[in-house]
Amino acid sequence: MTAPEIGPEIGPEIGRETGPDAHQEASSQYVDVFADDSPEWFKTAVFYEVLVRSFRDSNADGTGDFRGLIEKLDYLQWLGVDCLWVPPFFSSPLRDGGYDVSDYTNILPECGTVEDFRAFVAAAHERGIRVIIDFVMNHTSDAHPWFQESRKDPDGPYGDFYVWSDTDDLYSDARVIFVDTEPSNWTWDNERGQYFWHRFFHHQPDLNFDNPRVHDAMLEAMGFWLDMGLDGFRLDAVPYLYERPGTNGENLPETHEFLKKCRKFVDDNYPGRVLLCEANQWPADVVEYFGDPSVGGDECQMAFHFPVMPRIFMAVRRESRYPISEIMEQTPAIPDGCQWGIFLRNHDELTLEMVTDEDRDYMWEEYAKDPRMKANIGIRRRLAPLLDNDTNRIELFTALLLSLPGSPCLYYGDEIGMGDNIWLGDRDGVRTPMQWTPDRNAGFSSATPGKLHLPAIQDHIYGYQSVNVEAQMEDESSLLHWTRRMILARRSQPAFGLGTWADLGGSNPSVLSYVREHQGEHGPETILCVNNLSRFPQPVELDLRRFAGCVPVELLGGVTFPAIGELPYLLTLSGYGFYWFKLTEPMETP
């Protein structure tokens, strides 16, 4: 399906027919690829975030592209990931890493063509890997033709595509998100002679979702990519779609109504596709983005659980389980058809919005000692540098990521312990080229080094000469091989993705222990996870009486531990050590 136009060279056609007949062929092709898979595939999936421009350059222009990404799909299949999350690659001035979209149905020339993207999705599907992409609903770039038309002609078809006002007094209760750079959510436009509203950078005007034609344009753009077999979207910054006086402009009822409309459009035309919500809010507010629990959820099937992530870092630094156990206790139940998404790091800063002021100061003091490590209300560093390149801590954090409730999302390069470059601007320090080999440009590109869109890491600890995929492929004891084994172990136990979660407490506050239980096809499945958050060896006594008679079998090595009885179960863990046990009946024990 080709992209229709709204007027001359403006964008997708508003109001085009989006019924099931228009998308029947693309949907049937999708079903053929994953004929045997559950529509709730996302519950057990391991996601992997990959930045196209930083992963692999196929044509030596210094920027990663979809052809390069296709070259590395075998590696991702070997690693064991189920779904790739690809941040924005749409046409853009790139003033915000592509989150400033100037055309929803076209691709940055340096990333390739729409046909390259179509080929990438097909190649990923051939390897059993799904693909979701970022979809930036809340705002566009000020270079988008819609905004340019809105500036020039207030009475034209795009005059009210954005939020305009004669004063900058409206919506004064809404917070400024990018406090480092933006003094206000309003910016004066000389051409139109009015202020326009933006929740993020001043070059990213917010779309006006009170205009139904904006709805049509968004659904049309979503359909354009879904018709290629795409498996879903991460919906960026959705809490801020609407503005209302006297509110903070977040989580408004109108936003949820629009998301229900999006979900219905996707379910009717593209069954099996997923909507993942990016709402950096408290769990009680995020749960609303799943929709009506009586129907299993009718908004987004997935939502990121933002508050868990900083509390993992806090818990390990304090050597106390309480930051994690308390936020999990505050997390409400979610509809049956839904799932949390959890992560340790991604392309943005380690956000500290969902912590108290005191905890934020503590995190900055512990993890961002150099002012260059801070960004907005967060920390712009990768996982390995945050953890002082301590392999034991990296492994513990990854084990928590893979065993806590939700579908885990790995960030490209974290599987080899890549570093960051705090000397680069904004958040580019964590978006440097993937390190494939010790050769020129880390094997990312054969271009002259000065042409790279971002420089490769070259310091003596994290430099590509020592930290790269090739070296770790050859080393069976490397972080890369360990991460692969952990992913495969998680995939072998449906309880991690589908099971309930229960905190076991225990005698030692430095040890976080919980059980994941699931009623599988062949009977109940129970996984016991025990994590030492301290750098020192720790003992713990656990009340496991309800599992009396079961035999714990360590998942990674298959080692049988003593059977559980009526007395407290005693375990000793090494510093930052953890166990994953499958609780089996004695007759099942190998």
Side-chain angles (χ1 to χ4, degrees):
M1 172 183 145
T2 57
E5 298 179 349
I6 325 190
E9 299 181 355
I10 297 294
E13 180 185 353
I14 298 176
R16 197 186 73 100
E17 178 59 46
T18 55
D21 293 342
H23 310 281
Q24 184 174 3
E25 182 180 352
S27 294
S28 65
Q29 290 173 350
Y30 175 91
V31 171
D32 289 342
V33 173
F34 294 108
D36 299 328
D37 284 10
S38 161
E40 295 185 351
W41 57 268
F42 54 88
K43 288 187 173 182
T44 55
V46 174
F47 289 75
Y48 184 96
E49 183 185 3
V50 53
L51 272 62
V52 179
R53 299 169 66 236
S54 292
F55 206 60
R56 168 65 182 152
D57 170 20
S58 70
N59 60 0
D61 67 352
T63 301
D65 48 54
F66 281 109
R67 289 292 169 187
L69 187 45
I70 291 171
E71 292 176 12
K72 297 300 183 181
L73 286 175
D74 288 341
Y75 164 77
L76 296 169
Q77 182 184 24
W78 172 86
L79 185 59
V81 299
D82 302 287
C83 183
L84 302 181
W85 158 28
V86 187
F89 50 85
F90 301 158
S91 298
S92 166
L94 295 178
R95 297 181 67 186
D96 184 25
Y99 285 87
D100 46 335
V101 176
S102 61
D103 187 342
Y104 281 103
T105 57
N106 209 344
I107 286 178
L108 283 164
E110 54 264 47
C111 289
T113 65
V114 170
E115 286 308 310
D116 289 339
F117 176 80
R118 191 191 304 270
F120 157 65
V121 172
H125 285 178
E126 287 170 6
R127 292 162 175 80
I129 300 173
R130 287 182 165 87
V131 179
I132 67 171
I133 65 174
D134 263 330
F135 193 79
V136 187
M137 277 186 173
N138 179 70
H139 52 266
T140 71
S141 165
D142 58 8
H144 198 296
W146 297 346
F147 186 70
Q148 294 302 317
E149 289 294 311
S150 189
R151 300 172 73 196
K152 288 191 294 188
D153 187 0
D155 299 318
Y158 303 96
D160 59 351
F161 248 55
Y162 297 85
V163 181
W164 296 94
S165 172
D166 291 329
T167 75
D168 59 356
D169 298 328
L170 272 176
Y171 318 132
S172 57
D173 294 320
R175 64 193 171 105
V176 175
I177 295 172
F178 286 167
V179 293
D180 287 358
T181 55
E182 299 299 331
S184 168
N185 288 321
W186 290 104
T187 292
W188 176 258
D189 181 69
N190 283 325
E191 183 166 356
R192 177 147 165 164
Q194 284 185 303
Y195 293 93
F196 64 85
W197 176 258
H198 53 89
R199 287 309 299 267
F200 297 96
F201 289 120
H202 65 274
H203 54 79
Q204 293 171 322
D206 277 27
L207 287 161
N208 175 21
F209 278 84
D210 284 316
N211 182 350
R213 300 177 75 212
V214 170
H215 293 202
D216 295 339
M218 291 295 101
L219 296 179
E220 180 61 28
M222 292 171 72
F224 175 84
W225 299 105
L226 290 168
D227 281 343
M228 298 183 200
L230 187 71
D231 300 287
F233 296 101
R234 171 189 173 271
L235 302 180
D236 181 71
V238 288
Y240 317 108
L241 300 185
Y242 284 84
E243 305 78 30
R244 292 291 181 267
T247 75
N248 66 358
E250 300 177 24
N251 312 314
L252 296 177
E254 295 87 343
T255 295
H256 292 290
E257 288 305 312
F258 176 68
L259 290 176
K260 291 181 194 293
K261 183 176 182 179
C262 292
R263 174 67 180 271
K264 187 175 189 312
F265 168 74
V266 172
D267 282 353
D268 289 350
N269 299 300
Y270 309 95
R273 320 299 174 90
V274 67
L275 298 178
L276 167 58
C277 158
E278 189 227 15
N280 190 357
Q281 308 283 320
W282 291 103
D285 292 322
V286 178
V287 163
E288 300 297 319
Y289 287 88
F290 293 120
D292 185 354
S294 68
V295 295
D298 58 355
E299 292 185 35
C300 296
Q301 295 100 324
M302 293 185 68
F304 278 130
H305 196 319
F306 277 92
V308 166
M309 178 263 299
R311 284 167 179 81
I312 295 176
F313 288 88
M314 200 182 305
V316 173
R317 190 64 103 196
R318 291 178 174 171
E319 301 191 351
S320 166
R321 68 173 182 254
Y322 296 115
I324 300 174
S325 58
E326 286 171 1
I327 197 66
M328 294 303 297
E329 188 178 359
Q330 295 169 26
T331 301
I334 64 176
D336 292 339
C338 299
Q339 177 70 300
W340 290 111
I342 56 175
F343 61 95
L344 297 173
R345 290 301 301 111
N346 60 23
H347 63 282
D348 281 331
E349 68 273 19
L350 191 164
T351 178
L352 301 176
E353 285 187 83
M354 297 298 115
V355 299
T356 65
D357 291 344
E358 180 184 355
D359 286 341
R360 185 178 304 121
D361 290 340
Y362 173 80
M363 288 286 287
W364 273 333
E365 175 62 28
E366 293 295 325
Y367 288 106
K369 296 185 184 299
D370 188 316
R372 284 181 294 267
M373 297 173 179
K374 297 180 182 179
N376 299 312
I377 309 178
I379 302 169
R380 56 189 200 105
R381 301 182 72 193
R382 267 189 176 268
L383 181 64
L386 279 164
L387 303 182
D388 302 319
N389 208 30
D390 183 335
T391 301
N392 291 329
R393 262 188 287 172
I394 294 171
E395 291 181 354
L396 172 63
F397 272 67
T398 304
L400 289 166
L401 172 70
L402 294 174
S403 60
L404 285 168
S407 295
C409 182
L410 303 171
Y411 187 48
Y412 84 98
D414 280 354
E415 72 271 22
I416 59 172
M418 267 180 63
D420 51 40
N421 184 348
I422 61 173
W423 300 93
L424 296 177
D426 194 26
R427 289 157 287 182
D428 285 343
V430 301
R431 301 174 182 180
T432 55
M434 180 66 174
Q435 295 169 194
W436 296 105
T437 72
D439 303 322
R440 185 176 69 177
N441 300 329
F444 161 73
S445 172
S446 59
T448 300
K451 288 180 65 177
L452 299 191
H453 86 288
L454 288 174
I457 302 290
Q458 300 192 52
D459 67 54
H460 61 287
I461 297 176
Y462 302 101
Y464 63 84
Q465 295 87 349
S466 56
V467 178
N468 60 74
V469 171
E470 182 179 277
Q472 295 196 21
M473 277 282 198
E474 297 296 319
D475 180 3
E476 289 285 340
S477 65
S478 66
L479 179 62
L480 175 59
H481 276 280
W482 179 89
T483 303
R484 177 176 185 261
R485 288 193 294 270
M486 292 294 289
I487 291 172
L488 295 179
R490 184 189 194 279
R491 292 178 67 180
S492 72
Q493 305 298 324
F496 282 122
L498 303 174
T500 59
W501 186 87
D503 191 341
L504 292 176
S507 61
N508 190 332
S510 292
V511 177
L512 174 69
S513 56
Y514 44 88
V515 289
R516 307 297 312 278
E517 295 182 80
H518 171 59
Q519 186 63 42
E521 294 180 7
H522 306 293
E525 300 172 2
T526 304
I527 306 294
L528 167 64
C529 302
V530 189
N531 307 275
N532 179 12
L533 309 181
S534 169
R535 62 195 184 277
F536 302 116
Q538 298 288 341
V540 65
E541 291 182 346
L542 300 175
D543 182 357
L544 301 178
R545 282 175 293 178
R546 71 185 181 96
F547 304 112
C550 290
V551 177
V553 178
E554 201 274 326
L555 267 180
L556 299 177
V559 176
T560 301
F561 276 57
I564 298 169
E566 294 295 326
L567 296 175
Y569 198 82
L570 175 62
L571 287 168
T572 304
L573 299 95
S574 61
Y576 299 128
F578 68 92
Y579 289 120
W580 285 359
F581 293 113
K582 183 168 186 176
L583 302 188
T584 66
E585 298 296 332
M587 66 189 70
E588 301 175 51
T589 304

